[in-house]
Amino acid sequence: MTETIAAGPAQGEVPQEQAAAAADLRRTGIHPDFWYPVAVSASVRTKKTYPALFAGERIALYRGESGTVYALEDRCAHRQVPLSMGVVEGDVLRCCYHAWAYRGNGRISQIPYLPKGVSRPPRGVRAYPVREAYGLVFVFPGDPEKAPTAAFPELPEFDSARHKTMTFSRTVKCHYSFMHENLLDMNHQFLHRGILGKIQPKLLGYDAGPRSVEARYLFTHAGGKKNRGANLLAAEGIGGSKSPDVITIKTGYPYQTLQLVPENAELPAFSLWVAYVPGDAEQRTNHVYGLLMIEKPPIPGALHLAWPFIRRFTERVFAEDRMAVEAEQRAWDEQGEDWNREVFPLILDVRDVLRSNGVPIRSGSALCGAASFCGAAGRGCRLR
């Protein structure tokens, strides 16, 4: 059941005993039973391999001659050499070491030097379900049986002729939860004062449920110089709307969205969809995949001319945010635990969502990346 919370005065600090009772969010891993982008489609070229990561799991992507993208566990079942170092032949991936060949389903198709009459190993390596959409390659790193029915991101603005999309792909050295908090907590606009001037965000209210938190902010400019790209992204700059900028931000586990919808508009003036994909096994780094979909103004070609200014503006804002969240991660690393004294109810609620929907991060080495989630004796984890 969703609970609606009206914006009000900030509450006091969480009691120490309550904070101690809650599990440290930074030790919570992202749940693998979702579709996650692990590469930009253009990076996975025909008949080429591409090394990807998900929470310590090394994944070898390759695009076969047919154009189909496949995802295999990035190790040869023979000597554990990364398959991403291999050669693509048709729709088969051949290991660079002893030329063992694998089909897209992970099965061994050939061992060239195997004597006649000697049977091949019955299985090869783990294959991941793959979907290519929105200019990104998605894999399903969890239980493959859940992949066909798992919800896939729906982005109508991406396919709309009225919108143009800007793609982001950046690595940030922090736990993914810091990213969710950063975007949802718009009280940090002081950080961007050199770009945005004096921005006053007002929380109008928010909705919280078991799997999501959605907040609505009203933004007013109180003075100071504002970046040209920021003006172009405002409702007035894109669509000519004179209405205030009301932005809706949502963490709908495990993704995050941000939208600016002018009054009486059917589609957002701009819409951001973003996924934070952990790279290392301890999940202290994440790769950010973002799609910023911007509505085209009535004047033909205007958005094309504005594109470089919008790109520079977003990159500058992202750089400042990255500086802040990476500093938060360094503090956590130095302290060995979460010493944050959070007072904003909205952020306390999103932490609960991330914590309750995540999975424990397993310590120590694993036989393969998938063992982080399925255990040493789990499905598909041992050498086959």
Side-chain angles (χ1 to χ4, degrees):
M1 181 177 180
T2 300
E3 178 186 5
T4 301
I5 298 97
Q11 296 180 357
E13 216 173 83
V14 180
Q16 289 187 355
E17 59 272 16
Q18 180 181 339
D24 190 339
L25 175 58
R26 320 309 173 186
R27 299 185 189 276
T28 301
I30 206 165
H31 203 294
D33 286 341
F34 292 89
W35 289 96
Y36 292 97
V38 292
V40 175
S41 289
S43 299
V44 188
R45 295 178 293 162
T46 303
K47 299 188 71 175
K48 298 292 183 180
T49 64
Y50 183 89
L53 284 169
F54 176 83
E57 297 184 39
R58 291 188 293 110
I59 301 171
L61 302 177
Y62 73 96
R63 191 183 297 275
E65 196 169 16
S66 66
T68 302
V69 176
Y70 302 96
L72 301 180
E73 184 180 353
D74 197 3
R75 62 169 191 89
C76 179
H78 179 215
R79 296 284 185 90
Q80 317 304 302
V81 172
L83 288 175
S84 57
M85 296 168 60
V87 177
V88 181
E89 299 177 353
D91 275 31
V92 169
L93 179 57
R94 191 178 293 278
C95 178
C96 70
Y97 197 9
H98 290 82
W100 286 32
Y102 297 86
R103 299 186 183 93
N105 61 7
R107 298 278 180 167
I108 299 170
S109 67
Q110 185 191 35
I111 301 176
Y113 55 87
L114 194 67
K116 189 174 182 179
V118 178
S119 60
R120 294 195 299 264
R123 296 183 181 179
V125 296
R126 179 183 181 184
Y128 296 82
V130 183
R131 288 185 67 171
E132 199 168 1
Y134 313 127
L136 301 172
V137 176
F138 291 76
V139 300
F140 194 86
D143 183 349
E145 294 182 359
K146 296 180 180 179
T149 57
F152 195 79
E154 295 183 7
L155 307 176
E157 294 88 2
F158 185 91
D159 296 317
S160 168
R162 293 168 52 185
H163 288 75
K164 184 176 180 179
T165 300
M166 185 178 293
T167 302
F168 298 91
S169 174
R170 296 286 186 276
T171 298
V172 183
K173 297 177 181 178
C174 75
H175 190 264
Y176 62 90
S177 61
F178 288 117
M179 304 298 293
H180 282 269
E181 294 175 11
N182 171 267
L183 190 60
L184 263 175
D185 190 352
M186 283 291 160
N187 296 306
H188 78 271
Q189 295 311 306
F190 183 75
L191 176 68
H192 305 306
R193 60 196 180 277
I195 304 172
L196 297 174
K198 295 180 180 179
I199 292 291
Q200 293 181 345
K202 179 182 178 183
L203 180 64
L204 301 177
Y206 73 97
D207 301 324
R211 303 185 71 89
S212 67
V213 174
E214 183 176 292
R216 297 170 298 282
Y217 288 93
L218 174 68
F219 281 77
T220 56
H221 187 238
K225 187 177 180 180
K226 197 174 182 181
N227 180 277
R228 185 183 300 182
N231 285 323
L232 291 169
L233 268 181
E236 183 175 356
I238 295 177
S241 172
K242 298 296 183 180
S243 62
D245 288 352
V246 176
I247 290 181
T248 300
I249 309 167
K250 180 178 181 179
T251 287
Y253 194 89
Y255 315 116
Q256 201 164 36
T257 58
L258 182 151
Q259 293 185 332
L260 186 152
V261 183
E263 289 180 331
N264 303 318
E266 294 180 7
L267 291 174
F270 73 83
S271 179
L272 172 69
W273 177 90
V274 64
Y276 312 114
V277 184
D280 59 317
E282 293 184 335
Q283 304 196 25
R284 295 185 187 181
T285 64
N286 74 92
H287 198 92
V288 179
Y289 292 94
L291 300 171
L292 179 61
M293 295 153 282
I294 306 171
E295 186 180 29
K296 297 176 183 177
I299 303 173
L303 185 57
H304 177 75
L305 294 174
W307 206 249
F309 299 102
I310 296 174
R311 168 67 79 172
R312 282 197 291 270
F313 162 69
T314 54
E315 292 286 5
R316 285 184 63 189
V317 170
F318 183 81
E320 291 182 345
D321 285 332
R322 177 160 56 183
M323 176 272 295
V325 295
E326 289 185 347
E328 287 187 277
Q329 181 64 59
R330 287 194 299 271
W332 189 95
D333 291 338
E334 292 165 1
Q335 296 153 4
E337 59 184 351
D338 196 344
W339 287 10
N340 285 1
R341 296 294 182 261
E342 186 53 62
V343 297
F344 196 25
L346 169 64
I347 299 305
L348 296 175
D349 281 349
V350 77
R351 286 183 176 183
D352 287 341
V353 167
L354 297 174
R355 188 182 293 111
S356 62
N357 287 283
V359 295
I361 296 177
R362 290 179 179 262
S363 60
S365 60
L367 293 175
C368 71
S372 300
F373 299 108
C374 62
R379 180 181 55 258
C381 286
R382 290 197 180 277
L383 175 63
R384 298 188 282 280

